[in-house]
Amino acid sequence: MSISGSFTLLIRSDRLNLDDITNSIGLKPTGSKSKGESISKALNQNMRDNLWQYQVKYDESDNPNNVLDEFLSLLTTKSEFIQKASKEYEVYLTWFLQSDYAQIGVVLEPDVLKKLADLKLQFELHILSWGGVED
């Protein structure tokens, strides 16, 4: 089964200074956008605020539980900053899960769920299924 996706820490606010976030958290962002920057020329849409993100990707050769575990272990070392930032900015985690097939199943172990809970952040799950079936 072809499963791929990503886990992302997002920090956003119209008051957000992208360089300050990078320096404070000690991670180089995998992406950032500034307020007013175009996000869709076709729809004529611009960013409503500033966005800083740090993303890790995985593919079918990876176990999503293990990738999330490593990602959360990294974020746990930054938890003091994350908790402080979450009082001032919108800070949350997303999981993007994509599959070629209609049926999707993943397991998250209790210790990974505890790490996630300990960060006290909103966690969004986005699933994209292409609806295929195996022969």
Side-chain angles (χ1 to χ4, degrees):
M1 182 182 301
S2 180
I3 292 180
S4 62
S6 61
F7 297 101
T8 308
L9 171 67
L10 297 110
I11 304 173
R12 62 186 320 151
S13 170
D14 57 357
R15 304 176 321 277
L16 190 70
N17 181 305
L18 299 172
D19 291 332
D20 286 350
I21 296 299
T22 299
N23 293 332
S24 296
I25 199 169
L27 295 171
K28 182 179 177 185
T30 57
S32 63
K33 298 256 185 216
S34 297
K35 184 177 181 176
E37 187 175 335
S38 177
I39 54 175
S40 173
K41 290 182 182 181
L43 298 175
N44 195 28
Q45 288 183 328
N46 296 329
M47 284 295 295
R48 63 178 169 85
D49 53 16
N50 298 321
L51 172 70
W52 183 99
Q53 68 180 32
Y54 185 82
Q55 181 180 75
V56 294
K57 296 181 179 182
Y58 63 90
D59 62 28
E60 60 191 44
S61 67
D62 299 311
N63 179 329
N65 181 78
N66 296 343
V67 175
L68 180 57
D69 187 33
E70 288 179 26
F71 185 51
L72 293 173
S73 292
L74 171 65
L75 296 182
T76 297
T77 68
K78 315 293 183 182
S79 63
E80 186 176 322
F81 168 79
I82 290 170
Q83 293 309 308
K84 182 179 175 188
S86 66
K87 293 177 182 163
E88 193 172 343
Y89 310 119
E90 186 178 353
V91 182
Y92 57 102
L93 297 171
T94 63
W95 179 7
F96 179 72
L97 175 62
Q98 178 176 313
S99 173
D100 291 341
Y101 302 105
Q103 184 174 350
I104 302 171
V106 293
V107 173
L108 296 179
E109 298 291 335
D111 58 324
V112 173
L113 293 171
K114 181 171 180 349
K115 284 181 187 178
L116 180 60
D118 288 346
L119 283 172
K120 299 177 182 160
L121 292 177
Q122 176 178 309
F123 184 70
E124 298 179 1
L125 172 60
H126 304 270
I127 300 172
L128 175 60
S129 167
W130 294 109
V133 292
E134 275 187 311
D135 293 333

